[in-house]
């Protein structure tokens, strides 16, 4: 299925050095943001208390924050959760963190507004948070290693390295943006990052498949022409696939409430940069690594040869 058919190949590889330079600068800025500001980790990783409180009318968040300040609760995060009547309160770890502290806080909220109703309380200890942080990092490394192994077996090591560089580019930029803007990084965001790893590599596989097919058919064309043709031929598919995916992600972003907001935000960043990196990072890198027909060329078959000069 195609929205449009481009008659002439777009010379993407002509601008390969420019696009990779832009990517390198963006990557460095993301690393600097991570190094100097760091991630704003949620209680899933740092530990603490999560309280969900429901009111009979739209909640006054400022009044709730003032009540928490009166209880000498520092750095508490207060936000709406789903509806204007539901409030999510995140509390950092303190010496008396636990049921006693949550009961004390809810009593103060109940005194401030008698309609307050405690829906749930979750406690994450520091050890559990540390284990989640370590497990999340391990999951990222295992997924990355699996992707590299898969691409090395399906194509060649040059394609595996190029795709992994493009994927790491996407992941670091997502993390860098969360660090720079101080958006909260939770388990749901980590799930989005892991999803982007698989989603981004899928786009690279589509382009690489077409490159392999072109090496078989376009035997007299230069490597840059083969790659340009592969990218141009898959553009319509790329536009359709990513547009439909982004529509679903936008639905979660605008209508999924606070629980899905940062998850959808991570997916949006990943989708945008995933398109860019799969085309304008992975392909120039695989070209720079010296990919040739010898890596993927299959025996010539009758009817599959392109006789273009």
């Amino acid at each position: 299925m195609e929205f449009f058919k481009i008659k002439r190949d777009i010379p993407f590889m002509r601008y390969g050095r420019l696009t990779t330079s832009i990517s390198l600068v963006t990557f460095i800025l993301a690393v600097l943001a991570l190094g100097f500001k760091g991630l704003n980790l949620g209680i899933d990783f740092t530990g603490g208390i999560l309280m969900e409180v429901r009111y009979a009318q739209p909640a006054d968040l400022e009044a709730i924050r003032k009540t928490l300040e009166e209880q000498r609760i520092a750095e508490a995060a207060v936000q709406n959760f789903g509806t204007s009547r539901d409030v999510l309160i995140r509390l950092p770890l303190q010496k008396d963190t636990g049921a006693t502290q949550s009961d004390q806080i809810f009593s103060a909220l109940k005194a401030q507004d008698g309609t307050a109703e405690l829906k749930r309380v979750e406690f994450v200890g520091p050890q559990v948070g540390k284990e989640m942080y370590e497990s999340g990092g391990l999951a990222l490394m295992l997924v990355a290693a699996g992707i590299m192994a898969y691409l090395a077996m399906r194509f060649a090591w040059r394609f595996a390295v190029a795709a992994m560089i493009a994927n790491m580019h996407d992941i670091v930029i997502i993390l860098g943006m969360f660090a720079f803007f101080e958006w909260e990084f939770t388990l749901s965001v980590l799930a989005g990052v892991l999803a982007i790893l698989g989603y981004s590599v899928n786009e690279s596989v589509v382009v690489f498949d077409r490159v392999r097919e072109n090496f078989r058919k376009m035997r007299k064309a230069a490597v840059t022409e083969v790659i340009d043709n592969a990218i141009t031929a898959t553009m319509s598919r790329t536009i359709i696939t990513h547009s439909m995916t982004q529509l679903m992600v936008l639905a979660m972003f605008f209508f999924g409430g606070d629980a899905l907001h940062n998850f959808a935000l991570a997916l949006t960043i990943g989708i945008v940069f995933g398109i860019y990196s799969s085309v304008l990072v992975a392909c120039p890198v695989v070209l720079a690594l010296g990919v040739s027909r010898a890596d993927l060329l299959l025996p010539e078959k009758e009817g599959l040869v392109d006789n273009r000069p």
Side-chain angles (χ1 to χ4, degrees):
M1 179 180 178
E2 292 183 334
F3 276 139
F4 51 85
K5 187 173 181 63
I6 303 174
K7 295 182 179 180
R8 292 188 177 182
D9 294 343
I10 301 174
F12 290 101
M13 293 304 97
R14 183 183 301 173
Y15 309 102
R17 289 185 179 180
L18 174 62
T19 57
T20 50
S21 298
I22 293 173
S23 298
L24 181 61
V25 171
T26 309
F27 183 89
I28 292 173
L29 290 175
V31 171
L32 290 175
L34 285 169
F36 286 100
K37 302 191 73 170
L39 291 171
N40 178 24
L41 298 175
I43 66 167
D44 299 328
F45 301 111
T46 61
I49 292 179
L50 178 71
M51 299 176 62
E52 182 183 347
V53 182
R54 174 171 293 176
Y55 292 86
Q57 64 283 331
D60 186 345
L61 299 185
E62 288 303 321
I64 295 173
R65 293 189 182 101
K66 185 176 180 180
T67 300
L68 293 175
E69 290 175 1
E70 292 173 353
Q71 296 296 313
R72 297 180 181 179
I73 304 296
E75 299 180 0
V78 180
Q79 63 188 78
N80 287 116
F81 181 73
T83 69
S84 60
R85 297 188 299 113
D86 295 310
V87 177
L88 200 64
I89 303 173
R90 300 174 187 268
L91 308 172
L93 280 174
Q94 294 186 5
K95 292 182 179 180
D96 58 342
T97 294
T100 303
Q101 186 186 24
S102 61
D103 290 343
Q104 175 187 351
I105 293 171
F106 179 67
S107 297
L109 294 175
K110 188 77 172 176
Q112 182 248 334
D113 189 330
T115 65
E117 177 186 357
L118 185 63
K119 301 298 294 183
R120 66 183 170 110
V121 177
E122 294 181 8
F123 170 74
V124 180
Q127 183 61 34
V128 175
K130 181 181 178 182
E131 290 176 359
M132 287 183 176
Y133 188 80
E134 293 174 350
S135 298
L138 179 62
L140 279 174
M141 289 188 290
L142 290 176
V143 170
I147 289 173
M148 284 197 71
Y150 164 74
L151 291 175
M153 290 186 293
R154 179 163 180 173
F155 299 101
W157 69 267
R158 291 178 178 84
F159 289 90
V161 172
M164 208 62 253
I165 290 175
N167 277 3
M168 290 300 100
H169 165 272
D170 300 340
I171 299 308
V172 170
I173 286 178
I174 293 173
L175 298 179
M177 292 189 73
F178 268 79
F180 181 79
F181 292 105
E182 298 183 350
W183 296 324
E184 187 177 32
F185 190 86
T186 62
L187 278 178
S188 63
V189 177
L190 176 60
V193 171
L194 292 173
I196 287 300
L197 267 175
Y199 186 84
S200 181
V201 78
N202 176 68
E203 182 63 27
S204 298
V205 167
V206 170
V207 176
F208 290 166
D209 261 334
R210 185 56 65 94
V211 170
R212 179 168 58 182
E213 180 183 344
N214 284 354
F215 270 133
R216 188 171 65 246
K217 296 192 300 183
M218 302 168 59
R219 292 179 180 266
K220 295 184 179 181
V223 175
T224 54
E225 293 176 347
V226 168
I227 296 177
D228 287 339
N229 178 268
I231 298 173
T232 304
T234 57
M235 279 191 65
S236 184
R237 175 260 173 206
T238 298
I239 293 172
I240 295 172
T241 302
H242 291 289
S243 297
M244 295 302 100
T245 304
Q246 188 57 45
L247 280 177
M248 300 304 103
V249 173
L250 287 176
M252 289 190 290
F253 183 85
F254 289 110
F255 306 112
D258 292 323
L260 293 177
H261 185 272
N262 283 3
F263 171 73
L265 185 59
L267 289 179
T268 297
I269 298 170
I271 289 171
V272 172
F273 280 95
I275 298 172
Y276 177 85
S277 66
S278 297
V279 174
L280 299 176
V281 176
C283 290
V285 168
V286 80
L287 183 64
L289 290 174
V291 68
S292 64
R293 287 179 174 77
D295 296 313
L296 298 172
L297 191 60
L298 298 176
E300 185 171 325
K301 295 183 181 180
E302 186 177 354
L304 290 179
V305 181
D306 186 354
N307 293 319
R308 71 174 64 183

